[in-house]
Amino acid sequence: MKYLFASDIHGSAYYCQKLMDCYQESGADKLILLGDLLYHGPRNDLPKEYNPKRVIALLNEKKEEILAVRGNCDGEVDQMVLEFPILSDYSLLYEGKTEFFLTHGHHFSPENLPPCRIGSVFVYGHTHIWRAERRDGIILLNPGSVSIPKNGNPPTFAIYEQGMIFIQDFEGERLAQIQVL
């Protein structure tokens, strides 16, 4: 299986369209969304082409291919318009013997890890800063932010394929990679 991980769209129709184009071009089997889909949040400026209704339409077109978890800016009102579940605080995904623990990152984080076995991949968003590193036998993966990246980073997402994880920007540049054991 091939997965595309993305986080923090924050209602940007511009970047959501770029994400959907990259998802289509990648040939990924599943789009994993790590929360903060529609609302920009009180701490963020409006992202480019802020248009949650357009984001709703773009995401609902791929509802059968999306696995999502709830971000701190997502609420029940968002679930009323999205045609796929978004209100779970976390989800588990298995690829062979590899466990992916999926969460937004505002409850569980690298500083507050859930119980994970050695070899697991802890996947989170929330910080808007991409990260791909191994710590104590667990991979910490943050695909960064699709629309409001921080620390001078470009908008990014991550791809998992055949035991490798890549952090990539929308121009196709790979910024990091890490092998899953």
Side-chain angles (χ1 to χ4, degrees), residues 36 70-73 89 103-109 112 124-126:
D36 285 1
R70 181 182 199 156
N72 59 303
C73 293
D89 285 330
T103 192
H104 180 63
H106 62 296
H107 293 302
F108 293 113
S109 67
N112 182 35
Y124 67 104
H126 186 58

Side-chain angles (χ1 to χ4, degrees), residues 5-63:
F5 299 95
S7 189
D8 299 283
I9 297 169
H10 287 292
S12 172
Y14 177 84
Y15 285 110
C16 188
Q17 183 64 63
K18 283 184 149 305
L19 175 65
M20 300 313 277
D21 292 344
C22 287
Y23 172 69
Q24 192 68 32
E25 291 167 14
S26 76
D29 300 292
K30 205 76 161 158
L31 177 58
I32 314 294
L33 298 176
L34 302 168
D36 285 1
L37 304 179
L38 302 179
Y39 179 55
H40 64 89
R43 295 181 298 179
N44 298 311
D45 292 331
L46 286 174
K48 185 173 185 173
E49 290 183 25
Y50 182 68
N51 185 345
K53 288 182 180 181
R54 178 70 182 130
V55 172
I56 292 164
L58 288 167
L59 295 178
N60 282 342
E61 287 176 13
K62 297 291 184 186
K63 64 186 173 190

Side-chain angles (χ1 to χ4, degrees), residues 144-156:
S145 174
V146 168
S147 69
I148 309 173
K150 296 187 177 170
N151 281 10
N153 288 308
T156 53

Side-chain angles (χ1 to χ4, degrees), residues 85-104:
I86 67 159
L87 294 179
S88 177
D89 285 330
Y90 70 91
S91 186
L92 298 173
L93 177 67
Y94 294 90
E95 177 64 24
K97 293 183 179 182
T98 302
E99 177 182 84
F100 292 84
F101 187 100
L102 312 170
T103 192
H104 180 63

